[in-house]
């Protein structure tokens, strides 16, 4: 069987720290990959995953439709819009390049499967800096972004509430219930005609958690929490349904249930 080709973009970051020890100090830099749970979940599966960390995306994400055409599904996760809008050619040299946000929108309309996964640089993100609101990518998603910091931090945790129709949806087939606890999400607004399959509980505002929709010939999805720390704690990663959930999501996005 030909594997479904998936491109995951983002889910990496670097931290710089200064250590003080009395009179002396020194610095250190640490690089982090946040998608290892998903990478592990897709091993020996019908999905061939290409993982493009955030620092590679500015130059490495395709600049032409032909580059995107090799993928069946694109996942944008914890990656601000500026990374794709400001490659070195634009930011450093002032040269025009194709708008890759428009390429993603058009690729989806032609039949691609597009998902945005939550995080501090997803949707509108921390301090509004993810900046996906009113972009061509937002046009393709089944949700609208807010014009300000959209984080919902729930340090005590919450358990998702499923819509009645979720049980029959392909994404939830074979998925043990209830889902484990989550620690946060991005607040979004579902577009008219989109299907909200899971929400935060009413005590946390009842905001959409898992939303599906279409754009042209393509399928689109928003998962407003994380795929790894910190909003998605270890018990969720260790949950028997973690791999099933993401394999079902990718299968649905690629139209494997059709």
């Amino acid at each position: 069987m030909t594997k479904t080709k998936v491109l995951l973009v983002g889910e990496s970051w670097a931290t710089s720290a200064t250590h003080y020890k009395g009179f002396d100090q020194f610095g250190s830099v640490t690089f982090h990959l946040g998608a290892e749970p998903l990478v592990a979940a897709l091993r020996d599966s019908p999905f061939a995953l290409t993982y493009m960390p955030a620092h590679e995306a500015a130059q490495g994400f395709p600049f032409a439709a032909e580059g995107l055409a090799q993928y069946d599904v694109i996942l944008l996760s914890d990656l601000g819009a500026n990374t794709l809008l400001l490659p070195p050619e634009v930011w450093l040299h002032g040269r025009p390049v194709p708008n890759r946000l428009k390429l993603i929108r058009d690729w989806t309309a032609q039949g691609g499967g597009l998902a945005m996964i939550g995080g501090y640089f997803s949707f509108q993100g921390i301090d509004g800096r993810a900046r996906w609101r009113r972009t061509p990518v937002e046009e393709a998603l089944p949700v609208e972004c807010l014009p300000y910091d959209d984080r919902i931090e729930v340090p005590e945790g919450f358990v998702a509430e499923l819509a009645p129709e979720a049980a029959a949806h392909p994404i939830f087939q074979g998925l043990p219930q209830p889902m484990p606890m989550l620690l946060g999400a991005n607040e979004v607004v579902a577009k008219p005609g989109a299907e909200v399959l899971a929400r935060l509980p009413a005590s946390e505002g009842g905001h959409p958690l898992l939303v599906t929709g279409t754009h042209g010939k393509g399928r689109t999805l928003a998962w407003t929490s994380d795929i790894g720390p910190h909003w998605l704690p270890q018990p969720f990663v260790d949950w028997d349904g973690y791999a099933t959930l993401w394999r079902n999501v990718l299968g649905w996005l690629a139209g494997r249930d059709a």
Side-chain angles (χ1 to χ4, degrees), residues 37-38 41-42 47 75 77 115-118 171 175 210 221-228 232 236 239 241-253:
L38 181 60
L42 297 182
F47 305 98
L75 306 177
S77 184
M116 183 170 286
I117 297 165
I171 289 176
L175 206 62
L210 178 60
L221 180 143
W223 167 259
T224 62
S225 194
D226 219 327
I227 56 174
L232 194 146
F236 200 110
W239 172 47
Y242 181 86
T244 301
L245 172 64
W246 288 107
R247 293 184 187 201
N248 287 354
V249 162
L250 297 178
W252 182 84
L253 285 167

PDB file of all heavy atoms in Angstrom, residues 37-38 41-42 47 75 77 115-118 171 175 210 221-228 232 236 239 241-253:
ATOM      1  N   PRO A  37       6.442  12.614  20.382  1.00  0.00           N
ATOM      2  CA  PRO A  37       5.347  11.663  20.606  1.00  0.00           C
ATOM      3  C   PRO A  37       4.597  11.313  19.322  1.00  0.00           C
ATOM      4  O   PRO A  37       4.237  10.151  19.098  1.00  0.00           O
ATOM      5  CB  PRO A  37       4.445  12.384  21.599  1.00  0.00           C
ATOM      6  CG  PRO A  37       5.358  13.315  22.325  1.00  0.00           C
ATOM      7  CD  PRO A  37       6.336  13.775  21.294  1.00  0.00           C
ATOM      8  N   LEU A  38       4.362  12.320  18.477  1.00  0.00           N
ATOM      9  CA  LEU A  38       3.671  12.053  17.217  1.00  0.00           C
ATOM     10  C   LEU A  38       4.542  11.235  16.272  1.00  0.00           C
ATOM     11  O   LEU A  38       4.061  10.313  15.603  1.00  0.00           O
ATOM     12  CB  LEU A  38       3.265  13.362  16.546  1.00  0.00           C
ATOM     13  CG  LEU A  38       2.517  13.224  15.223  1.00  0.00           C
ATOM     14  CD1 LEU A  38       1.216  12.452  15.408  1.00  0.00           C
ATOM     15  CD2 LEU A  38       2.248  14.589  14.607  1.00  0.00           C
ATOM     16  N   ALA A  41       4.321   7.755  17.347  1.00  0.00           N
ATOM     17  CA  ALA A  41       2.990   7.187  17.101  1.00  0.00           C
ATOM     18  C   ALA A  41       2.796   6.774  15.645  1.00  0.00           C
ATOM     19  O   ALA A  41       1.958   5.916  15.351  1.00  0.00           O
ATOM     20  CB  ALA A  41       1.911   8.188  17.499  1.00  0.00           C
ATOM     21  N   LEU A  42       3.564   7.373  14.731  1.00  0.00           N
ATOM     22  CA  LEU A  42       3.384   7.086  13.316  1.00  0.00           C
ATOM     23  C   LEU A  42       4.390   6.075  12.768  1.00  0.00           C
ATOM     24  O   LEU A  42       4.353   5.755  11.572  1.00  0.00           O
ATOM     25  CB  LEU A  42       3.468   8.387  12.504  1.00  0.00           C
ATOM     26  CG  LEU A  42       2.385   9.426  12.809  1.00  0.00           C
ATOM     27  CD1 LEU A  42       2.547  10.634  11.915  1.00  0.00           C
ATOM     28  CD2 LEU A  42       1.000   8.832  12.655  1.00  0.00           C
ATOM     29  N   PHE A  47       1.496   6.008   7.277  1.00  0.00           N
ATOM     30  CA  PHE A  47       1.834   7.404   7.037  1.00  0.00           C
ATOM     31  C   PHE A  47       3.346   7.602   7.016  1.00  0.00           C
ATOM     32  O   PHE A  47       4.047   7.153   7.916  1.00  0.00           O
ATOM     33  CB  PHE A  47       1.199   8.284   8.113  1.00  0.00           C
ATOM     34  CG  PHE A  47      -0.288   8.098   8.219  1.00  0.00           C
ATOM     35  CD1 PHE A  47      -0.820   7.261   9.197  1.00  0.00           C
ATOM     36  CD2 PHE A  47      -1.138   8.716   7.325  1.00  0.00           C
ATOM     37  CE1 PHE A  47      -2.182   7.059   9.291  1.00  0.00           C
ATOM     38  CE2 PHE A  47      -2.507   8.518   7.414  1.00  0.00           C
ATOM     39  CZ  PHE A  47      -3.035   7.686   8.393  1.00  0.00           C
ATOM     40  N   LEU A  75       0.572  19.540   8.330  1.00  0.00           N
ATOM     41  CA  LEU A  75       0.264  19.915   9.707  1.00  0.00           C
ATOM     42  C   LEU A  75       1.116  21.122  10.068  1.00  0.00           C
ATOM     43  O   LEU A  75       2.344  21.072   9.991  1.00  0.00           O
ATOM     44  CB  LEU A  75       0.590  18.771  10.674  1.00  0.00           C
ATOM     45  CG  LEU A  75      -0.030  17.398  10.395  1.00  0.00           C
ATOM     46  CD1 LEU A  75       0.476  16.388  11.428  1.00  0.00           C
ATOM     47  CD2 LEU A  75      -1.550  17.479  10.415  1.00  0.00           C
ATOM     48  N   SER A  77       2.133  23.372  13.179  1.00  0.00           N
ATOM     49  CA  SER A  77       2.066  23.216  14.625  1.00  0.00           C
ATOM     50  C   SER A  77       3.077  24.114  15.319  1.00  0.00           C
ATOM     51  O   SER A  77       4.290  23.948  15.141  1.00  0.00           O
ATOM     52  CB  SER A  77       2.322  21.751  15.011  1.00  0.00           C
ATOM     53  OG  SER A  77       2.174  21.552  16.386  1.00  0.00           O
ATOM     54  N   ALA A 115      -4.182  20.844   8.500  1.00  0.00           N
ATOM     55  CA  ALA A 115      -4.547  20.955   9.911  1.00  0.00           C
ATOM     56  C   ALA A 115      -3.624  21.940  10.595  1.00  0.00           C
ATOM     57  O   ALA A 115      -2.433  22.025  10.277  1.00  0.00           O
ATOM     58  CB  ALA A 115      -4.464  19.604  10.613  1.00  0.00           C
ATOM     59  N   MET A 116      -4.197  22.680  11.546  1.00  0.00           N
ATOM     60  CA  MET A 116      -3.394  23.489  12.456  1.00  0.00           C
ATOM     61  C   MET A 116      -3.569  22.917  13.849  1.00  0.00           C
ATOM     62  O   MET A 116      -4.690  22.659  14.299  1.00  0.00           O
ATOM     63  CB  MET A 116      -3.785  24.960  12.429  1.00  0.00           C
ATOM     64  CG  MET A 116      -2.894  25.825  13.338  1.00  0.00           C
ATOM     65  SD  MET A 116      -3.112  27.623  13.133  1.00  0.00           S
ATOM     66  CE  MET A 116      -2.278  27.864  11.555  1.00  0.00           C
ATOM     67  N   ILE A 117      -2.436  22.701  14.526  1.00  0.00           N
ATOM     68  CA  ILE A 117      -2.404  22.156  15.878  1.00  0.00           C
ATOM     69  C   ILE A 117      -2.019  23.286  16.827  1.00  0.00           C
ATOM     70  O   ILE A 117      -1.159  24.114  16.514  1.00  0.00           O
ATOM     71  CB  ILE A 117      -1.397  21.000  15.954  1.00  0.00           C
ATOM     72  CG1 ILE A 117      -1.833  19.864  15.027  1.00  0.00           C
ATOM     73  CG2 ILE A 117      -1.247  20.502  17.379  1.00  0.00           C
ATOM     74  CD1 ILE A 117      -0.765  18.843  14.754  1.00  0.00           C
ATOM     75  N   GLY A 118      -2.641  23.323  17.989  1.00  0.00           N
ATOM     76  CA  GLY A 118      -2.479  24.435  18.908  1.00  0.00           C
ATOM     77  C   GLY A 118      -1.094  24.557  19.510  1.00  0.00           C
ATOM     78  O   GLY A 118      -0.280  23.636  19.484  1.00  0.00           O
ATOM     79  N   ILE A 171     -12.767   9.867  12.928  1.00  0.00           N
ATOM     80  CA  ILE A 171     -11.662  10.258  13.797  1.00  0.00           C
ATOM     81  C   ILE A 171     -11.754   9.574  15.161  1.00  0.00           C
ATOM     82  O   ILE A 171     -10.729   9.325  15.807  1.00  0.00           O
ATOM     83  CB  ILE A 171     -11.620  11.788  13.951  1.00  0.00           C
ATOM     84  CG1 ILE A 171     -11.159  12.419  12.632  1.00  0.00           C
ATOM     85  CG2 ILE A 171     -10.689  12.220  15.092  1.00  0.00           C
ATOM     86  CD1 ILE A 171     -11.179  13.935  12.623  1.00  0.00           C
ATOM     87  N   LEU A 175     -11.404   4.659  19.522  1.00  0.00           N
ATOM     88  CA  LEU A 175     -10.729   5.536  20.475  1.00  0.00           C
ATOM     89  C   LEU A 175     -11.312   5.326  21.873  1.00  0.00           C
ATOM     90  O   LEU A 175     -12.498   5.541  22.092  1.00  0.00           O
ATOM     91  CB  LEU A 175     -10.924   6.991  20.041  1.00  0.00           C
ATOM     92  CG  LEU A 175      -9.876   8.010  20.476  1.00  0.00           C
ATOM     93  CD1 LEU A 175      -8.520   7.664  19.909  1.00  0.00           C
ATOM     94  CD2 LEU A 175     -10.307   9.401  20.025  1.00  0.00           C
ATOM     95  N   LEU A 210     -11.684  20.313  18.810  1.00  0.00           N
ATOM     96  CA  LEU A 210     -11.431  19.586  17.562  1.00  0.00           C
ATOM     97  C   LEU A 210     -12.535  19.955  16.575  1.00  0.00           C
ATOM     98  O   LEU A 210     -13.716  19.697  16.829  1.00  0.00           O
ATOM     99  CB  LEU A 210     -11.409  18.080  17.800  1.00  0.00           C
ATOM    100  CG  LEU A 210     -11.193  17.192  16.573  1.00  0.00           C
ATOM    101  CD1 LEU A 210      -9.855  17.498  15.905  1.00  0.00           C
ATOM    102  CD2 LEU A 210     -11.256  15.720  16.944  1.00  0.00           C
ATOM    103  N   LEU A 221      -8.793  20.794   9.361  1.00  0.00           N
ATOM    104  CA  LEU A 221      -9.022  20.426  10.757  1.00  0.00           C
ATOM    105  C   LEU A 221      -8.256  21.380  11.667  1.00  0.00           C
ATOM    106  O   LEU A 221      -7.159  21.833  11.325  1.00  0.00           O
ATOM    107  CB  LEU A 221      -8.564  18.989  10.982  1.00  0.00           C
ATOM    108  CG  LEU A 221      -8.703  18.383  12.377  1.00  0.00           C
ATOM    109  CD1 LEU A 221      -9.099  16.906  12.283  1.00  0.00           C
ATOM    110  CD2 LEU A 221      -7.400  18.508  13.162  1.00  0.00           C
ATOM    111  N   ALA A 222      -8.845  21.659  12.815  1.00  0.00           N
ATOM    112  CA  ALA A 222      -8.165  22.412  13.869  1.00  0.00           C
ATOM    113  C   ALA A 222      -8.221  21.603  15.153  1.00  0.00           C
ATOM    114  O   ALA A 222      -9.298  21.176  15.580  1.00  0.00           O
ATOM    115  CB  ALA A 222      -8.828  23.770  14.070  1.00  0.00           C
ATOM    116  N   TRP A 223      -7.058  21.358  15.739  1.00  0.00           N
ATOM    117  CA  TRP A 223      -6.940  20.774  17.076  1.00  0.00           C
ATOM    118  C   TRP A 223      -6.301  21.861  17.909  1.00  0.00           C
ATOM    119  O   TRP A 223      -5.122  22.197  17.710  1.00  0.00           O
ATOM    120  CB  TRP A 223      -6.091  19.512  17.042  1.00  0.00           C
ATOM    121  CG  TRP A 223      -5.646  18.997  18.383  1.00  0.00           C
ATOM    122  CD1 TRP A 223      -4.412  19.162  18.955  1.00  0.00           C
ATOM    123  CD2 TRP A 223      -6.402  18.224  19.328  1.00  0.00           C
ATOM    124  NE1 TRP A 223      -4.350  18.538  20.181  1.00  0.00           N
ATOM    125  CE2 TRP A 223      -5.568  17.960  20.441  1.00  0.00           C
ATOM    126  CE3 TRP A 223      -7.714  17.731  19.344  1.00  0.00           C
ATOM    127  CZ2 TRP A 223      -5.985  17.233  21.550  1.00  0.00           C
ATOM    128  CZ3 TRP A 223      -8.129  17.000  20.449  1.00  0.00           C
ATOM    129  CH2 TRP A 223      -7.277  16.752  21.528  1.00  0.00           C
ATOM    130  N   THR A 224      -7.047  22.452  18.832  1.00  0.00           N
ATOM    131  CA  THR A 224      -6.582  23.678  19.468  1.00  0.00           C
ATOM    132  C   THR A 224      -5.681  23.457  20.669  1.00  0.00           C
ATOM    133  O   THR A 224      -5.149  24.419  21.222  1.00  0.00           O
ATOM    134  CB  THR A 224      -7.774  24.565  19.879  1.00  0.00           C
ATOM    135  OG1 THR A 224      -8.577  23.870  20.848  1.00  0.00           O
ATOM    136  CG2 THR A 224      -8.617  24.926  18.666  1.00  0.00           C
ATOM    137  N   SER A 225      -5.496  22.202  21.109  1.00  0.00           N
ATOM    138  CA  SER A 225      -4.501  21.923  22.131  1.00  0.00           C
ATOM    139  C   SER A 225      -3.218  21.463  21.451  1.00  0.00           C
ATOM    140  O   SER A 225      -3.010  21.744  20.264  1.00  0.00           O
ATOM    141  CB  SER A 225      -5.022  20.888  23.136  1.00  0.00           C
ATOM    142  OG  SER A 225      -4.189  20.850  24.289  1.00  0.00           O
ATOM    143  N   ASP A 226      -2.370  20.753  22.148  1.00  0.00           N
ATOM    144  CA  ASP A 226      -1.011  20.470  21.688  1.00  0.00           C
ATOM    145  C   ASP A 226      -0.868  19.024  21.224  1.00  0.00           C
ATOM    146  O   ASP A 226      -1.795  18.224  21.335  1.00  0.00           O
ATOM    147  CB  ASP A 226      -0.031  20.735  22.845  1.00  0.00           C
ATOM    148  CG  ASP A 226       1.243  21.393  22.380  1.00  0.00           C
ATOM    149  OD1 ASP A 226       1.677  21.121  21.247  1.00  0.00           O
ATOM    150  OD2 ASP A 226       1.817  22.168  23.163  1.00  0.00           O
ATOM    151  N   ILE A 227       0.308  18.704  20.682  1.00  0.00           N
ATOM    152  CA  ILE A 227       0.655  17.302  20.425  1.00  0.00           C
ATOM    153  C   ILE A 227       1.742  16.831  21.392  1.00  0.00           C
ATOM    154  O   ILE A 227       2.141  15.678  21.376  1.00  0.00           O
ATOM    155  CB  ILE A 227       1.113  17.055  18.969  1.00  0.00           C
ATOM    156  CG1 ILE A 227       2.285  17.963  18.590  1.00  0.00           C
ATOM    157  CG2 ILE A 227      -0.039  17.200  18.018  1.00  0.00           C
ATOM    158  CD1 ILE A 227       2.851  17.652  17.217  1.00  0.00           C
ATOM    159  N   GLY A 228       2.235  17.744  22.213  1.00  0.00           N
ATOM    160  CA  GLY A 228       3.250  17.406  23.209  1.00  0.00           C
ATOM    161  C   GLY A 228       3.214  18.456  24.316  1.00  0.00           C
ATOM    162  O   GLY A 228       2.289  19.257  24.386  1.00  0.00           O
ATOM    163  N   LEU A 232      -0.265  19.276  26.571  1.00  0.00           N
ATOM    164  CA  LEU A 232      -0.588  17.858  26.470  1.00  0.00           C
ATOM    165  C   LEU A 232       0.392  17.091  27.350  1.00  0.00           C
ATOM    166  O   LEU A 232       1.519  16.829  26.956  1.00  0.00           O
ATOM    167  CB  LEU A 232      -0.510  17.397  25.001  1.00  0.00           C
ATOM    168  CG  LEU A 232      -1.129  16.045  24.680  1.00  0.00           C
ATOM    169  CD1 LEU A 232      -1.737  16.050  23.282  1.00  0.00           C
ATOM    170  CD2 LEU A 232      -0.091  14.959  24.767  1.00  0.00           C
ATOM    171  N   PHE A 236      -1.448  11.907  28.659  1.00  0.00           N
ATOM    172  CA  PHE A 236      -2.135  11.898  27.354  1.00  0.00           C
ATOM    173  C   PHE A 236      -1.272  11.179  26.316  1.00  0.00           C
ATOM    174  O   PHE A 236      -1.770  10.392  25.510  1.00  0.00           O
ATOM    175  CB  PHE A 236      -2.443  13.330  26.906  1.00  0.00           C
ATOM    176  CG  PHE A 236      -3.528  13.426  25.861  1.00  0.00           C
ATOM    177  CD1 PHE A 236      -4.762  13.963  26.181  1.00  0.00           C
ATOM    178  CD2 PHE A 236      -3.319  12.988  24.556  1.00  0.00           C
ATOM    179  CE1 PHE A 236      -5.771  14.068  25.232  1.00  0.00           C
ATOM    180  CE2 PHE A 236      -4.314  13.080  23.601  1.00  0.00           C
ATOM    181  CZ  PHE A 236      -5.552  13.617  23.945  1.00  0.00           C
ATOM    182  N   TRP A 239      -1.520   7.529  26.855  1.00  0.00           N
ATOM    183  CA  TRP A 239      -2.876   7.026  26.662  1.00  0.00           C
ATOM    184  C   TRP A 239      -2.925   6.046  25.493  1.00  0.00           C
ATOM    185  O   TRP A 239      -2.312   6.270  24.456  1.00  0.00           O
ATOM    186  CB  TRP A 239      -3.797   8.214  26.422  1.00  0.00           C
ATOM    187  CG  TRP A 239      -5.211   7.943  26.024  1.00  0.00           C
ATOM    188  CD1 TRP A 239      -6.074   7.068  26.586  1.00  0.00           C
ATOM    189  CD2 TRP A 239      -5.924   8.616  24.981  1.00  0.00           C
ATOM    190  NE1 TRP A 239      -7.301   7.145  25.962  1.00  0.00           N
ATOM    191  CE2 TRP A 239      -7.230   8.086  24.973  1.00  0.00           C
ATOM    192  CE3 TRP A 239      -5.586   9.606  24.052  1.00  0.00           C
ATOM    193  CZ2 TRP A 239      -8.205   8.515  24.073  1.00  0.00           C
ATOM    194  CZ3 TRP A 239      -6.544  10.037  23.173  1.00  0.00           C
ATOM    195  CH2 TRP A 239      -7.837   9.497  23.183  1.00  0.00           C
ATOM    196  N   GLY A 241      -5.073   5.651  23.402  1.00  0.00           N
ATOM    197  CA  GLY A 241      -5.685   6.224  22.212  1.00  0.00           C
ATOM    198  C   GLY A 241      -4.859   7.268  21.495  1.00  0.00           C
ATOM    199  O   GLY A 241      -5.279   7.764  20.447  1.00  0.00           O
ATOM    200  N   TYR A 242      -3.671   7.615  22.028  1.00  0.00           N
ATOM    201  CA  TYR A 242      -2.902   8.698  21.412  1.00  0.00           C
ATOM    202  C   TYR A 242      -2.563   8.397  19.953  1.00  0.00           C
ATOM    203  O   TYR A 242      -2.849   9.195  19.052  1.00  0.00           O
ATOM    204  CB  TYR A 242      -1.625   8.968  22.201  1.00  0.00           C
ATOM    205  CG  TYR A 242      -0.785  10.102  21.624  1.00  0.00           C
ATOM    206  CD1 TYR A 242      -1.039  11.419  21.970  1.00  0.00           C
ATOM    207  CD2 TYR A 242       0.244   9.845  20.723  1.00  0.00           C
ATOM    208  CE1 TYR A 242      -0.280  12.462  21.446  1.00  0.00           C
ATOM    209  CE2 TYR A 242       0.998  10.872  20.178  1.00  0.00           C
ATOM    210  CZ  TYR A 242       0.734  12.183  20.547  1.00  0.00           C
ATOM    211  OH  TYR A 242       1.481  13.203  19.994  1.00  0.00           O
ATOM    212  N   ALA A 243      -1.954   7.250  19.704  1.00  0.00           N
ATOM    213  CA  ALA A 243      -1.593   6.902  18.330  1.00  0.00           C
ATOM    214  C   ALA A 243      -2.828   6.743  17.460  1.00  0.00           C
ATOM    215  O   ALA A 243      -2.852   7.185  16.299  1.00  0.00           O
ATOM    216  CB  ALA A 243      -0.761   5.617  18.308  1.00  0.00           C
ATOM    217  N   THR A 244      -3.877   6.125  18.016  1.00  0.00           N
ATOM    218  CA  THR A 244      -5.107   5.935  17.245  1.00  0.00           C
ATOM    219  C   THR A 244      -5.707   7.270  16.840  1.00  0.00           C
ATOM    220  O   THR A 244      -6.141   7.458  15.694  1.00  0.00           O
ATOM    221  CB  THR A 244      -6.134   5.129  18.060  1.00  0.00           C
ATOM    222  OG1 THR A 244      -5.569   3.870  18.405  1.00  0.00           O
ATOM    223  CG2 THR A 244      -7.417   4.907  17.275  1.00  0.00           C
ATOM    224  N   LEU A 245      -5.739   8.215  17.779  1.00  0.00           N
ATOM    225  CA  LEU A 245      -6.298   9.533  17.483  1.00  0.00           C
ATOM    226  C   LEU A 245      -5.597  10.177  16.303  1.00  0.00           C
ATOM    227  O   LEU A 245      -6.242  10.625  15.339  1.00  0.00           O
ATOM    228  CB  LEU A 245      -6.180  10.431  18.722  1.00  0.00           C
ATOM    229  CG  LEU A 245      -6.559  11.904  18.512  1.00  0.00           C
ATOM    230  CD1 LEU A 245      -8.019  12.046  18.138  1.00  0.00           C
ATOM    231  CD2 LEU A 245      -6.231  12.728  19.763  1.00  0.00           C
ATOM    232  N   TRP A 246      -4.260  10.208  16.327  1.00  0.00           N
ATOM    233  CA  TRP A 246      -3.550  10.922  15.273  1.00  0.00           C
ATOM    234  C   TRP A 246      -3.539  10.154  13.965  1.00  0.00           C
ATOM    235  O   TRP A 246      -3.572  10.766  12.887  1.00  0.00           O
ATOM    236  CB  TRP A 246      -2.151  11.292  15.747  1.00  0.00           C
ATOM    237  CG  TRP A 246      -2.251  12.383  16.749  1.00  0.00           C
ATOM    238  CD1 TRP A 246      -2.070  12.297  18.097  1.00  0.00           C
ATOM    239  CD2 TRP A 246      -2.673  13.726  16.494  1.00  0.00           C
ATOM    240  NE1 TRP A 246      -2.328  13.502  18.698  1.00  0.00           N
ATOM    241  CE2 TRP A 246      -2.706  14.396  17.741  1.00  0.00           C
ATOM    242  CE3 TRP A 246      -3.023  14.419  15.342  1.00  0.00           C
ATOM    243  CZ2 TRP A 246      -3.075  15.740  17.845  1.00  0.00           C
ATOM    244  CZ3 TRP A 246      -3.391  15.754  15.454  1.00  0.00           C
ATOM    245  CH2 TRP A 246      -3.408  16.395  16.694  1.00  0.00           C
ATOM    246  N   ARG A 247      -3.530   8.844  14.016  1.00  0.00           N
ATOM    247  CA  ARG A 247      -3.649   8.081  12.774  1.00  0.00           C
ATOM    248  C   ARG A 247      -5.035   8.280  12.162  1.00  0.00           C
ATOM    249  O   ARG A 247      -5.165   8.401  10.931  1.00  0.00           O
ATOM    250  CB  ARG A 247      -3.379   6.596  13.042  1.00  0.00           C
ATOM    251  CG  ARG A 247      -1.925   6.333  13.435  1.00  0.00           C
ATOM    252  CD  ARG A 247      -1.642   4.855  13.604  1.00  0.00           C
ATOM    253  NE  ARG A 247      -0.305   4.625  14.142  1.00  0.00           N
ATOM    254  CZ  ARG A 247       0.353   3.479  14.028  1.00  0.00           C
ATOM    255  NH1 ARG A 247      -0.206   2.447  13.422  1.00  0.00           N
ATOM    256  NH2 ARG A 247       1.566   3.353  14.545  1.00  0.00           N
ATOM    257  N   ASN A 248      -6.063   8.345  13.002  1.00  0.00           N
ATOM    258  CA  ASN A 248      -7.410   8.600  12.486  1.00  0.00           C
ATOM    259  C   ASN A 248      -7.529  10.005  11.900  1.00  0.00           C
ATOM    260  O   ASN A 248      -8.167  10.205  10.864  1.00  0.00           O
ATOM    261  CB  ASN A 248      -8.449   8.420  13.599  1.00  0.00           C
ATOM    262  CG  ASN A 248      -8.678   6.972  13.966  1.00  0.00           C
ATOM    263  OD1 ASN A 248      -8.155   6.057  13.340  1.00  0.00           O
ATOM    264  ND2 ASN A 248      -9.471   6.744  14.993  1.00  0.00           N
ATOM    265  N   VAL A 249      -6.923  10.992  12.589  1.00  0.00           N
ATOM    266  CA  VAL A 249      -6.940  12.361  12.086  1.00  0.00           C
ATOM    267  C   VAL A 249      -6.297  12.436  10.709  1.00  0.00           C
ATOM    268  O   VAL A 249      -6.847  13.024   9.764  1.00  0.00           O
ATOM    269  CB  VAL A 249      -6.226  13.305  13.074  1.00  0.00           C
ATOM    270  CG1 VAL A 249      -5.841  14.625  12.398  1.00  0.00           C
ATOM    271  CG2 VAL A 249      -7.103  13.575  14.287  1.00  0.00           C
ATOM    272  N   LEU A 250      -5.117  11.839  10.572  1.00  0.00           N
ATOM    273  CA  LEU A 250      -4.407  11.893   9.292  1.00  0.00           C
ATOM    274  C   LEU A 250      -5.156  11.133   8.214  1.00  0.00           C
ATOM    275  O   LEU A 250      -5.215  11.570   7.050  1.00  0.00           O
ATOM    276  CB  LEU A 250      -2.994  11.345   9.458  1.00  0.00           C
ATOM    277  CG  LEU A 250      -2.086  12.137  10.404  1.00  0.00           C
ATOM    278  CD1 LEU A 250      -0.732  11.459  10.531  1.00  0.00           C
ATOM    279  CD2 LEU A 250      -1.909  13.575   9.910  1.00  0.00           C
ATOM    280  N   GLY A 251      -5.729   9.983   8.577  1.00  0.00           N
ATOM    281  CA  GLY A 251      -6.512   9.229   7.607  1.00  0.00           C
ATOM    282  C   GLY A 251      -7.712  10.003   7.119  1.00  0.00           C
ATOM    283  O   GLY A 251      -8.033  10.004   5.921  1.00  0.00           O
ATOM    284  N   TRP A 252      -8.383  10.716   8.048  1.00  0.00           N
ATOM    285  CA  TRP A 252      -9.536  11.516   7.643  1.00  0.00           C
ATOM    286  C   TRP A 252      -9.098  12.680   6.744  1.00  0.00           C
ATOM    287  O   TRP A 252      -9.718  12.949   5.715  1.00  0.00           O
ATOM    288  CB  TRP A 252     -10.262  12.047   8.877  1.00  0.00           C
ATOM    289  CG  TRP A 252     -11.476  12.841   8.486  1.00  0.00           C
ATOM    290  CD1 TRP A 252     -12.725  12.366   8.186  1.00  0.00           C
ATOM    291  CD2 TRP A 252     -11.537  14.269   8.313  1.00  0.00           C
ATOM    292  NE1 TRP A 252     -13.560  13.404   7.831  1.00  0.00           N
ATOM    293  CE2 TRP A 252     -12.856  14.581   7.899  1.00  0.00           C
ATOM    294  CE3 TRP A 252     -10.618  15.305   8.453  1.00  0.00           C
ATOM    295  CZ2 TRP A 252     -13.269  15.885   7.632  1.00  0.00           C
ATOM    296  CZ3 TRP A 252     -11.013  16.607   8.182  1.00  0.00           C
ATOM    297  CH2 TRP A 252     -12.335  16.883   7.782  1.00  0.00           C
ATOM    298  N   LEU A 253      -8.030  13.378   7.119  1.00  0.00           N
ATOM    299  CA  LEU A 253      -7.557  14.485   6.318  1.00  0.00           C
ATOM    300  C   LEU A 253      -7.179  14.062   4.895  1.00  0.00           C
ATOM    301  O   LEU A 253      -7.400  14.809   3.935  1.00  0.00           O
ATOM    302  CB  LEU A 253      -6.354  15.154   6.983  1.00  0.00           C
ATOM    303  CG  LEU A 253      -6.651  16.044   8.192  1.00  0.00           C
ATOM    304  CD1 LEU A 253      -5.372  16.387   8.931  1.00  0.00           C
ATOM    305  CD2 LEU A 253      -7.367  17.322   7.753  1.00  0.00           C
TER     306      LEU A 253
END
